[in-house]
Amino acid sequence: MIYLDNAATTPMKKEVVDAMLPYLYENFGNPSSIYQIAQKNKKAINDAREEVAKYLGAKPSEIYFTSGGTESDNWAIKGIAEANNAKGNHIITSKIEHHAVLHTCEYLEKNGYEVTYLDVDEFGQISIDDLKNAIRDTTILITIMYANNEIGTIMPVREIGEVASENKIIFHTDAVQAVGQISIDVKANKIDLLSLSAHKINGPKGVGALYIRNGIKIENFMHGGGQERGKRGGTENVAGIVGLGVAMKYAYANFERKILHLASLRNKLVEGIIKNIPYTKINGHLSDRLPNNVNISFEFVEGESLLLLLDMNGVCASSGSACTSGSLDPSHVLLSIGLPHEKAHGSVRFTIGSDTTVEDINEVISTLPSIVKRMRDMSPLYENFINQK
Ligand code: PLP
């Protein structure tokens, strides 16, 4: 199997599983209890908190563990909206956010909040002028993703942070796809809240974190016990949190080398496809782009069918965000960058992981042309196009 769907999820690293196992067996104590086996677990949680904080340029006291990216996004947006509604009811986001952000904003709109959804350009970036123009006296939150999950485009985060801070507006960023692919510094970028998820960085599913800058006023999302300094009740997912801490460490180990490796495989795959298959186009930004993301439109091809044929050849890829695949609607991200429906439908995302090899990429480059040709040979649209040439 050649797994090129690392933006959907990643395989867990052996070191991560090994670190987690004791917390599933002998170290089973509830971290809130006072005896020693329980206190060991409290320490493990706080060690993981330090690890996560270190790679974000944050303080451990600013890291709160959650059940993943979706919860972190929900908490950040609803929690800021609720705690700051005396100041205003306006939120700014972009049209290409993950549904964890978009659907949360839509939910708030039904409850009296106003949301501006910024357009993006053909590469998937918002314009800073549009952002400045969208600001109102009532704007309380800007929530714009660090990097897009479908096309890999990196947003101008530093400039967004500057604008937010100059206007005293809280800035949240969904960095679920950026963590482990970009070095992140929340203070330098004036980020007030940041969401991340363990399963995108070779960690376990169902655990993530929200960075909340000290001093930010936010309402609780989960109400319950005193865990996470009273801000996120619920007995901690100790093994998951330990796994997230270790995954974070490996995500940033030998970082420069890892990024160069990912980017060289990405460039090889892009060149191999574009050179060998006519009527193809890369989607997303060419340079402000995650090192592991390749998103290509194949004209006269149905993306879902291409995925099935790739699967029959042992290649796993995706035609949109993991959470929306299964729906027949074209991706909101691809439509937002201006692709017509048929090109959006013919788009496939390949996302490279730390285990991907040059041989894997060569195999895909040599398999794809014949698959695409087979599909085009069956397409009446392609036949018409060729006949009219
Ligand atoms: N945000 C982005 C950008 C994502 O890509 C994802 C997952 O695909 C999420 C949020 C949701 O994260 P989780 O699966 O941990 O809930």
Side-chain angles (χ1 to χ4, degrees):
M1 179 182 80
I2 300 177
Y3 184 74
L4 292 179
D5 202 14
N6 286 275
T9 196
T10 54
M12 278 175 72
K13 259 189 116 52
K14 182 174 183 310
E15 290 83 347
V16 173
V17 178
D18 287 348
M20 289 171 67
L21 283 177
Y23 298 92
L24 294 168
Y25 287 120
E26 61 268 27
N27 298 352
F28 60 85
N30 186 323
S32 299
S33 304
I34 55 161
Y35 32 81
Q36 285 177 35
I37 58 159
Q39 285 306 306
K40 246 192 195 166
N41 289 357
K42 200 166 200 78
K43 179 169 178 332
I45 292 172
N46 285 331
D47 289 349
R49 202 184 306 285
E50 278 185 26
E51 204 69 52
V52 173
K54 187 163 86 189
Y55 294 106
L56 302 179
K59 299 188 187 105
S61 61
E62 296 174 315
I63 304 299
Y64 297 85
F65 292 113
T66 66
S67 65
T70 301
E71 183 188 327
S72 296
D73 286 343
N74 270 265
W75 182 11
I77 299 167
K78 291 179 193 161
I80 292 298
E82 211 183 317
N84 295 277
N85 61 8
K87 278 198 211 145
N89 67 343
H90 180 234
I91 295 168
I92 301 175
T93 187
S94 85
K95 287 191 177 161
I96 65 163
E97 298 296 310
H98 189 271
H99 284 139
V101 168
L102 287 179
H103 289 165
T104 304
C105 287
E106 287 162 16
Y107 163 81
L108 287 177
E109 279 183 293
K110 287 192 206 126
N111 288 277
Y113 290 86
E114 291 176 4
V115 182
T116 300
Y117 299 88
L118 295 176
D119 283 324
V120 293
D121 63 18
E122 62 183 303
F123 304 110
Q125 287 182 327
I126 61 143
S127 128
I128 295 298
D129 283 339
D130 286 355
L131 173 65
K132 287 180 182 162
N133 291 336
I135 292 173
R136 307 177 190 166
D137 292 343
T138 52
T139 308
I140 48 174
L141 174 68
I142 295 171
T143 172
I144 304 231
M145 68 200 324
Y146 212 117
N148 184 266
N149 43 303
E150 291 188 43
I151 53 174
T153 297
I154 301 168
M155 287 286 189
V157 170
R158 186 175 284 258
E159 290 92 325
I160 298 170
E162 284 296 335
V163 171
S165 139
E166 276 162 17
N167 290 278
K168 300 195 170 30
I169 299 168
I170 295 169
F171 174 33
H172 163 248
T173 189
D174 173 343
V176 167
Q177 295 290 340
V179 167
Q181 304 278 335
I182 302 176
S183 66
I184 292 179
D185 185 333
V186 286
K187 306 288 176 208
N189 289 294
K190 302 193 163 70
I191 296 166
D192 297 308
L193 300 108
L194 176 146
S195 304
L196 63 89
S197 176
H199 75 101
K200 309 288 184 178
I201 53 167
N202 305 102
K205 293 170 181 58
V207 59
L210 181 63
Y211 152 78
I212 307 175
R213 184 168 64 74
N214 283 338
I216 289 289
K217 218 170 121 198
I218 183 164
E219 191 48 71
N220 284 5
F221 181 60
M222 303 284 265
H223 298 94
Q227 293 91 351
E228 297 297 284
R229 283 92 75 214
K231 277 191 152 48
R232 200 274 185 185
T235 300
E236 299 89 336
N237 172 5
V238 184
I241 290 169
V242 168
L244 169 56
V246 178
M248 204 69 184
K249 185 169 114 193
Y250 281 99
Y252 284 102
N254 300 317
F255 188 62
E256 298 300 324
R257 191 142 52 94
K258 171 180 131 177
I259 297 308
L260 284 176
H261 175 66
L262 290 176
S264 82
L265 294 183
R266 174 198 63 191
N267 297 344
K268 190 175 176 54
L269 183 56
V270 171
E271 275 164 34
I273 294 175
I274 302 281
K275 211 169 77 192
N276 296 318
I277 310 178
Y279 315 116
T280 48
K281 177 189 168 294
I282 181 152
N283 297 314
H285 204 284
L286 296 181
S287 52
D288 292 341
R289 182 182 198 98
L290 291 177
N292 75 336
N293 175 291
V294 174
N295 188 307
I296 305 261
S297 289
F298 296 87
E299 270 192 76
F300 314 109
V301 163
E302 220 283 302
E304 296 291 321
S305 316
L306 182 53
L307 289 184
L308 289 178
L309 288 184
L310 280 170
D311 184 29
M312 283 162 69
N313 283 274
V315 180
C316 304
S318 149
S319 65
S321 91
C323 317
T324 52
S325 50
S327 136
L328 287 178
D329 293 335
S331 133
H332 66 287
V333 176
L334 297 176
L335 295 182
S336 297
I337 60 171
L339 288 196
H341 277 231
E342 63 285 4
K343 282 198 186 157
H345 270 306
S347 302
V348 171
R349 177 186 74 181
F350 302 93
T351 39
I352 295 156
S354 42
D355 296 336
T356 310
T357 61
V358 179
E359 290 73 32
D360 292 338
I361 298 298
N362 285 337
E363 177 67 27
V364 175
I365 293 172
S366 70
T367 315
L368 252 180
S370 59
I371 298 181
V372 172
K373 182 173 179 315
R374 242 170 84 195
M375 293 181 64
R376 284 180 177 163
D377 286 348
M378 292 187 296
S379 157
L381 285 177
Y382 186 61
E383 198 183 336
N384 279 348
F385 172 75
I386 293 296
N387 289 341
Q388 280 166 17
K389 263 184 38 157

